Amino acid sequence: MEKIRRALLSNGKEIEYVVTDNPPRGGMKYTYFTPDKSYVIQFFNDPENAENPAIRDRINAIIGKYNPTLAEEYGGAKGNDKQTAAYFERCFCWPVATVVRPEFGIVCPSYPANFFFGENASQILKLKGKDKKSNWFTGKSRKYLNSPELGDFRSMLQMSILLARSLRRMHQAGLAHSDLSCNNVLVDPRSGTCVIIDIDSLVVPGLYPPEVIGTRGYVAPEILQTLGMDRKDRKFPSVQTDLHSMAVLFYEYIFLRHPIIGPKIYSQDAEEDDYLCLGKCATFIEDPDDTSNRPSDLEVTIQDLGPYLEELFLRAFSKGLHNPTERPTAMEWERGLIKTWNLLRRCTNPNCEKKYFVLYNPEKPVCPFCKERIKDDTVMKLNFYTQRKGFTGRWFKTSELIADDKMPICNWNLYSNIFPDEKAADREVKAYIKHTDDKYYLVNIALDNLLSPDGMTIPKGYAFEIKDGISFRLIRDENSLLLHAELFINK
């Protein structure tokens, strides 16, 4: 039987919640919803945890001075302004308050509606109302989901960018999640978005010790390898172990398989085999120097993702698998994923399930997923250069873009001092690429200072052709990028 109760918060406010007979219960807490289901109230299963001053201190610090969803002027993370706080509020289900009566607890926003399955998610599985944990989309159950739920390669890459950005911000605040997994990052491939949950167990290095070791398949090998050792010799969850878990999630999103669980048998004892597979003897299934764990049916590999992601995955799972200091940071992943995003090309096969692929080699425009060569006669690659400070006329390459019809051009495609992160306040589309009759045009929408290759100002609503071999500065501004175009004939 449901009852409405009131909870007193640490800030003196009260909040109503609905008490049910069988509330959702996790490993540490059980959950009630507010009447409108916009917030959840969580209490601890173990009263001793609720009374533990270290847990209380950690949660208060997470809600306050380490909080990336709260501006610094309101007590949030250092360096956080209102814009970045609002941006990351969409990326986390971050605790907003603690309960002091009837007992110690936590108040968190509910997951946004798109992270719950709807009525038409599957014709076979009863999924309505279930959380969208990523293993629904990357595991065997994927085949039972209706196609609109699955997204495509582009949306999975976008999801990875958002996760990398969120973790980069969290790590910058000095926090580690400690249990990143398919259970604690909810995803929506349809919109290419994700949200990180279970924030209240974050680790503040050197201040609040971790309470969990992680989830099977996502725990860093060094944690498993040192289980049972004396505390001084054990490895505990940290930013470095987050970097392993994060890379596993990226690999699963992109390839729909696990990067370490392969065909190799490490022991005839099933439990020991699993322990060795994910711990001491962990081997990347695509390791270039050790093919002992490589499946025989790898049709799409890290090489098909282009040079940026191939390097990052090799660092994460070859060099960094047993050497945590070699693992790429969340910022490196964010930048590598964005550079790869700029190389996306739509597959011209209408039946291709992935719809997009990374066209890193314009001379071989073949989709690795469906094996079809694109039908367009030409491929245009735009190379962007930044002027080296203090050296007029000295330029170095910073990015590249595979041109596609209706491709938007934003400020970060025009200026060297703007990066498409949470601080890029102006996300308006300034221009776009038009591809027609094997010609490419840059169409001005909102720029007052867009230049043509001959240095003329292009008025809004007008366009100019981007021809093979041209090099020119895009904007009449000292921070303008220089564009060099290359046209490839698709034979």
Side-chain angles (χ1 to χ4, degrees):
M1 183 176 178
E2 295 185 350
K3 297 179 181 178
I4 302 293
R5 299 277 176 84
R6 298 180 73 85
L8 176 64
L9 307 184
S10 55
N11 57 16
K13 297 181 180 180
E14 290 189 339
I15 188 171
E16 291 185 338
Y17 62 99
V18 181
V19 175
T20 56
D21 292 335
N22 295 297
R25 193 175 295 269
M28 288 192 67
K29 299 181 296 295
Y30 59 96
T31 301
Y32 296 124
F33 287 85
T34 57
D36 64 358
K37 294 190 175 182
S38 60
Y39 289 90
V40 297
I41 315 295
Q42 296 183 312
F43 298 112
F44 287 85
N45 295 324
D46 186 344
E48 290 188 7
N49 286 331
E51 296 299 325
N52 187 326
I55 291 178
R56 291 192 176 203
D57 286 347
R58 185 187 66 245
I59 291 172
N60 286 325
I62 289 168
I63 291 173
K65 64 180 180 180
Y66 293 105
N67 188 347
T69 72
L70 188 66
E72 184 178 6
E73 64 180 287
Y74 299 130
K78 188 175 181 179
N80 231 30
D81 58 23
K82 293 179 182 178
Q83 175 193 322
T84 56
Y87 182 94
F88 286 114
E89 192 174 10
R90 302 189 297 268
C91 302
F92 299 97
C93 277
W94 205 276
V96 296
T98 56
V99 178
V100 296
R101 196 172 62 228
E103 59 184 284
F104 182 77
I106 307 164
V107 181
C108 297
S110 297
Y111 315 147
N114 62 303
F115 295 108
F116 293 99
F117 283 111
E119 192 170 351
N120 299 317
S122 174
Q123 300 297 323
I124 298 174
L125 303 175
K126 295 181 180 180
L127 296 177
K128 183 180 179 181
K130 290 185 179 293
D131 304 350
K132 289 187 177 180
K133 298 176 180 179
S134 65
N135 57 345
W136 286 111
F137 303 94
T138 61
K140 295 179 180 179
S141 56
R142 176 183 173 85
K143 62 185 177 182
Y144 300 117
L145 298 177
N146 291 336
S147 57
E149 292 287 337
L150 302 177
D152 52 41
F153 179 74
R154 184 173 182 263
S155 67
M156 298 301 257
L157 200 65
Q158 178 177 310
M159 213 159 63
S160 301
I161 293 171
L162 293 177
L163 178 56
R165 181 172 297 151
S166 301
L167 290 172
R168 182 259 297 161
R169 183 65 187 93
M170 196 173 72
H171 291 168
Q172 285 175 335
L175 301 171
H177 189 282
S178 81
D179 190 18
L180 279 175
S181 72
C182 61
N183 297 322
N184 295 328
V185 182
L186 303 184
V187 301
D188 179 23
R190 294 178 305 174
S191 61
T193 56
C194 63
V195 63
I196 301 175
I197 64 174
D198 284 357
I199 302 298
D200 56 283
S201 294
L202 297 182
V203 176
V204 181
L207 186 58
Y208 301 116
E211 296 173 356
V212 296
I213 64 167
T215 301
R216 180 191 177 274
Y218 302 91
V219 182
E222 64 269 21
I223 292 181
L224 287 179
Q225 190 174 341
T226 59
L227 280 177
M229 291 185 179
D230 292 338
R231 187 172 182 85
K232 63 182 179 64
D233 298 319
R234 281 186 61 184
K235 300 296 182 182
F236 291 96
S238 64
V239 168
Q240 287 186 333
T241 64
D242 271 3
L243 298 180
H244 171 80
S245 307
M246 175 182 64
V248 172
L249 286 169
F250 293 154
Y251 193 88
E252 288 185 323
Y253 294 166
I254 292 170
F255 293 107
L256 311 182
R257 61 181 184 244
H258 196 277
I260 297 171
I261 301 174
K264 187 174 182 178
I265 303 298
Y266 300 89
S267 171
Q268 294 305 311
D269 179 82
E271 185 175 344
E272 184 181 15
D273 178 68
D274 192 65
Y275 173 76
L276 294 174
C277 167
L278 297 169
K280 180 181 179 180
C281 298
T283 307
F284 182 32
I285 64 172
E286 294 192 55
D287 193 300
D289 300 316
D290 183 351
T291 61
S292 62
N293 195 32
R294 183 167 301 181
S296 59
D297 57 349
L298 288 186
E299 295 186 2
V300 181
T301 70
I302 56 174
Q303 292 179 328
D304 294 306
L305 302 181
Y308 307 116
L309 292 189
E310 180 183 8
E311 179 196 6
L312 289 169
F313 277 124
L314 286 174
R315 285 177 56 196
F317 297 130
S318 290
K319 296 179 181 178
L321 193 57
H322 297 287
N323 187 355
T325 60
E326 294 285 346
R327 293 169 188 162
T329 65
M331 178 179 287
E332 290 177 295
W333 277 107
E334 181 184 5
R335 292 183 177 272
L337 286 160
I338 287 173
K339 286 184 175 182
T340 302
W341 174 274
N342 289 335
L343 301 180
L344 287 180
R345 185 64 159 77
R346 280 180 293 185
C347 182
T348 53
N349 175 8
N351 298 316
C352 180
E353 180 184 310
K354 300 296 185 179
K355 298 180 184 177
Y356 291 84
F357 68 100
V358 182
L359 208 176
Y360 64 93
N361 182 359
E363 295 181 339
K364 295 181 180 180
V366 178
C367 173
F369 303 109
C370 70
K371 312 305 180 186
E372 177 161 301
R373 193 179 187 93
I374 66 170
K375 294 182 172 64
D376 298 340
D377 292 332
T378 59
V379 174
M380 175 68 78
K381 181 182 178 184
L382 307 179
N383 303 283
F384 297 95
Y385 295 80
T386 297
Q387 186 166 235
R388 195 175 298 278
K389 289 185 178 181
F391 296 90
T392 302
R394 297 277 296 275
W395 300 82
F396 63 96
K397 188 174 178 179
T398 55
S399 60
E400 52 195 1
L401 188 70
I402 296 296
D404 202 358
D405 190 39
K406 300 179 182 179
M407 174 176 286
I409 300 295
C410 299
N411 274 339
W412 48 81
N413 303 118
L414 304 167
Y415 296 93
S416 62
N417 60 339
I418 297 177
F419 183 74
D421 59 11
E422 72 280 2
K423 295 180 181 179
D426 187 354
R427 296 178 176 271
E428 179 187 3
V429 176
K430 304 297 185 181
Y432 68 93
I433 303 292
K434 184 174 179 60
H435 179 204
T436 180
D437 297 328
D438 290 328
K439 293 183 178 181
Y440 295 82
Y441 299 88
L442 185 60
V443 184
N444 188 6
I445 298 177
L447 293 166
D448 295 319
N449 54 352
L450 179 65
L451 298 177
S452 68
D454 57 7
M456 300 295 291
T457 300
I458 304 298
K460 296 175 185 177
Y462 286 76
F464 63 87
E465 185 179 355
I466 306 173
K467 295 183 178 180
D468 181 37
I470 62 170
S471 296
F472 67 103
R473 296 189 74 160
L474 286 158
I475 297 291
R476 189 173 281 106
D477 186 281
E478 64 178 5
N479 293 310
S480 171
L481 291 170
L482 182 143
L483 168 67
H484 175 70
E486 292 181 275
L487 188 68
F488 296 85
I489 306 301
N490 183 17
K491 298 179 180 179

